[in-house]
Amino acid sequence: MGTVVFLSPSTPVRAWDRQVEQGRTLARAHCARCHAVGRSDLSPLPAAPPFRDLHARYPVEDLAESLAEGIRTGHPSMPEFRFDPDQAQSLIAFLKSLER
C-alpha cells in the first residue's frame, strides 16, 4: 500500500488566488455590464474591450493609479470608478490571471 502525501499550497499562492478571486468579484459587480470579464465571453457593449485582451494593449499594472484615483473615459456610457488600493490591486491581479 502506497503512501498518500497531501501538499498544501504555499501561502503566497493562496494569497494570489484569493486576490484574483476578489478581483473577479469586483469585475463582475462593476464591469461585466459592458465588458467581457471571462476567458471567452463577448462584451455586452461591443465597443468595450474584453478584459482578457487588455494586456495586449498595455501593461495592466499601469491601471493601478487610474483605478485608485478614478477611471474616467471620453464616452458618457462608462461611469467613473474609484477603488481603494487593495481593490485596485485585486482587479489587476484578476486581469493578469487572464493573460495565461
Side-chain angles (χ1 to χ4, degrees):
M1 191 173 236
T3 302
V4 177
V5 177
F6 292 99
L7 300 174
S8 65
S10 66
T11 300
V13 171
R14 284 195 313 241
W16 172 256
D17 290 342
R18 189 170 34 255
Q19 191 174 39
V20 168
E21 191 55 40
Q22 289 169 345
R24 178 180 290 117
T25 299
L26 287 169
R28 287 180 178 158
H30 298 284
C31 312
R33 181 181 79 188
C34 299
H35 293 272
V37 297
R39 294 195 182 275
S40 61
D41 54 329
L42 298 175
S43 292
L45 182 65
F51 277 12
R52 66 183 167 275
D53 295 342
L54 292 180
H55 72 278
R57 295 175 177 220
Y58 47 83
V60 294
E61 297 87 359
D62 291 353
L63 291 172
E65 188 175 340
S66 294
L67 289 169
E69 291 180 0
I71 287 187
R72 295 174 198 93
T73 64
H75 62 87
S77 63
M78 183 167 169
E80 181 179 332
F81 287 101
R82 181 171 292 145
F83 297 103
D84 68 39
D86 288 338
Q87 289 174 319
Q89 288 304 316
S90 292
L91 189 55
I92 289 170
F94 171 64
L95 293 173
K96 290 184 71 60
S97 77
L98 295 174
E99 293 178 24
R100 299 183 224 166

